Amino acid sequence: MADDGQFSRTLLLAVDAWRYGTRDDLQQRDLQRALGTAVRESALRSDLDPARWQRQDAGDGMFTPITDGSAEPKVIGSFVRELDEWLGRYNHDLQPQARLRLRVAVHQGVAIPAALGHAGAAPVHVCRLRDARVVRELLEVFSEANLVLAVSEEIFEGSVRPRHTSLSVKDFTRVEVAEQAKEFFATAWVHVPGVAGERVGAQLDAFAVSLSFAGTAVPPPRFFEQAVCRSFDAVGASVPEGAEASGEVLSFPVPAGLSGTVLTGTWIEHLRKNTDAQFPGIRLAAGIARAPDPAVACAEATRLAGSDAAGRLLTASTRSRLVIVVSEEVYEAVVSRGGRFVFPASYRHHEAGTGCWFRVPGHSIPPDPGPPQDQPATGAGSPSATATTYGDHSTAIGHGTFTAPFIMGDVHQHGSDR
């Protein structure tokens, strides 16, 4: 075994920079210099000795065991606070895309010196926490934040809960990290400096999806496996558990660790493509809701997907066989912030009895679903008409042009002198 496998249980720190790969060569050089300075100066201000750290650098990040037995409370408290303040000063006059923003993770365990740095389950664990999807998404969602801190359950229970650190329990939010592709599953606790824990918790509430199938009594056979599960697999998430079918509605909680931004953006896009490819002709409404209780989120998602307005939108849309319906909470906390395949301007607010937002892929703005089925379509200021169509012509009437077919008949605009 290389380096005689020295046993050392120690504190482990992993840091990585935001969007490093999108920068050019000179920007990457400057960012590496700034990252090293930020960590070193923040450590010194926290009464830590970075000269003794066995740093393992990787361009856009670093990993290091910290052998100082008294370092743990300082790293989680004053070091993170000093690092956040240093980044705030550094980023003050920079364009948003040029800022130095960090993902920071802390764990403890055995790190064995090896030929290329360190080996062991604990170094892998801390780097998996740092790179977890939920940590990345929090840094994207809270664009004002300079860093996101993730600590392992061992660190939280050993240092934070017993009040050995200047950060308290209320400063952290519990998350379940599930990285299916890497076979990594863990509980962690996250902290976003400058962002209230309630806001972080709201972003991490349980999501649920309900799919309502138009014109069919039950979901098509194998739809869950071939469309839903494949869509979650495409975004690196585990298969949803607890899916339930009731009539034409299929509901399921979203796997822990999948952010609302990925769910309403990339996942929905994969669902649309898989449905078109595997089940041509299927028309469905997808309701997306969130709540602290997964059962409550499922019930709300079912209400949204089965709403009368969603059904009328499916009928009104000629360019898409999918309608997406999100609750007010999902729109405000997730959609309004935008993201990959998440376009706030493409949603339409519908207040009448639903309190939700609609999007129809293929429409820049969803068509008007029209009045509920028990309300008349005409009234004061609404047009009524009798018409007969002939031929393939275009003709001008008033200030507008009507394209084929040619219209003959009487058009009346109530409440107007035209």
Side-chain angles (χ1 to χ4, degrees):
M1 177 182 292
D3 299 297
D4 68 17
Q6 298 175 28
F7 182 92
S8 174
R9 187 179 298 278
T10 184
L11 188 69
L12 304 173
L13 173 69
V15 181
D16 198 82
W18 172 74
R19 295 189 178 181
Y20 178 84
T22 64
R23 308 171 197 241
D24 63 30
D25 294 356
L26 296 182
Q27 290 171 330
Q28 290 183 3
R29 180 200 62 187
D30 294 342
L31 185 144
Q32 288 189 30
R33 182 185 299 119
L35 174 58
T37 302
V39 170
R40 182 177 62 257
E41 292 189 1
S42 299
L44 291 171
R45 288 176 176 271
S46 305
D47 195 26
L48 294 165
D49 184 5
R52 298 176 57 192
W53 293 2
Q54 304 169 34
R55 278 178 45 177
Q56 183 177 322
D57 295 330
D60 58 343
M62 53 162 282
F63 161 79
T64 181
I66 302 176
T67 56
D68 181 355
S70 65
E72 190 168 317
K74 300 174 186 176
V75 169
I76 299 169
S78 57
F79 171 74
V80 170
R81 186 176 303 105
E82 291 290 346
L83 186 60
D84 180 54
E85 292 180 0
W86 192 98
L87 293 170
R89 292 190 297 271
Y90 178 84
N91 292 328
H92 179 70
D93 293 325
L94 296 180
Q95 294 293 324
Q97 66 274 15
R99 293 166 61 198
L100 173 58
R101 307 174 69 217
L102 302 175
R103 304 189 312 278
V104 182
V106 182
H107 181 45
Q108 61 85 25
V110 177
I112 299 175
L116 300 179
H118 296 83
V124 172
H125 191 102
V126 73
C127 291
R128 291 282 190 264
L129 291 184
R130 177 196 64 189
D131 299 336
R133 182 189 303 105
V134 63
V135 177
R136 292 177 181 273
E137 288 295 327
L138 285 174
L139 200 59
E140 294 290 343
V141 167
F142 298 110
S143 57
E144 71 274 26
N146 294 309
L147 65 87
V148 173
L149 168 68
V151 303
S152 66
E153 190 163 32
E154 293 86 341
I155 294 292
F156 183 84
E157 296 297 338
S159 293
V160 179
R161 194 181 294 281
R163 299 167 58 186
H164 293 307
T165 72
S166 56
L167 290 176
S168 67
V169 169
K170 65 180 178 60
D171 294 316
F172 286 85
T173 302
R174 176 174 173 156
V175 299
E176 297 298 327
V177 178
E179 302 291 337
Q180 183 80 6
K182 298 181 182 296
E183 298 184 348
F184 177 76
F185 307 92
T187 297
W189 294 79
V190 293
H191 168 61
V192 185
V195 178
E198 292 80 3
R199 287 183 63 200
V200 177
Q203 176 65 26
L204 298 172
D205 276 349
F207 287 89
V209 174
S210 284
L211 304 175
S212 178
F213 298 83
T216 179
V218 294
R222 304 283 299 168
F223 184 87
F224 183 74
E225 293 80 3
Q226 295 182 11
V228 175
C229 293
R230 287 183 181 180
S231 299
F232 280 109
D233 183 64
V235 297
S238 56
V239 173
E241 297 181 357
E244 295 184 359
S246 177
E248 73 278 8
V249 177
L250 175 65
S251 302
F252 46 88
V254 173
L258 186 67
S259 75
T261 304
V262 171
L263 179 67
T264 58
T266 311
W267 181 81
I268 278 287
E269 181 64 14
H270 282 292
L271 178 68
R272 182 188 66 80
K273 291 180 178 179
N274 286 332
T275 301
D276 287 346
Q278 301 293 328
F279 301 90
I282 290 295
R283 299 170 66 82
L284 71 157
I288 302 177
R290 63 183 297 176
D293 184 344
V296 174
C298 276
E300 174 66 3
T302 298
R303 182 187 73 83
L304 297 173
S307 65
D308 181 59
R312 285 182 281 114
L313 260 179
L314 275 175
T315 302
S317 172
T318 59
R319 295 198 297 272
S320 178
R321 293 184 285 112
L322 171 66
V323 169
I324 303 155
V325 195
V326 303
S327 64
E328 290 276 7
E329 293 79 5
V330 171
Y331 183 86
E332 291 298 328
V334 179
V335 174
S336 65
R337 299 176 179 272
R340 189 181 181 198
F341 295 116
V342 182
F343 312 110
S346 67
Y347 279 78
R348 182 174 188 151
H349 195 209
H350 186 77
E351 298 180 356
T354 58
C356 55
W357 293 76
F358 293 90
R359 178 167 81 88
V360 181
H363 293 260
S364 57
I365 299 177
D368 188 346
Q373 293 179 356
D374 59 353
Q375 293 184 15
T378 60
S382 299
S384 63
T386 59
T388 306
T389 63
Y390 298 89
D392 186 11
H393 308 281
S394 297
T395 187
I397 302 178
H399 296 290
T401 299
F402 288 78
T403 306
F406 178 68
I407 299 176
M408 293 184 64
D410 301 311
V411 179
H412 307 280
Q413 178 79 29
H414 296 290
S416 170
D417 59 358
R418 293 182 291 169

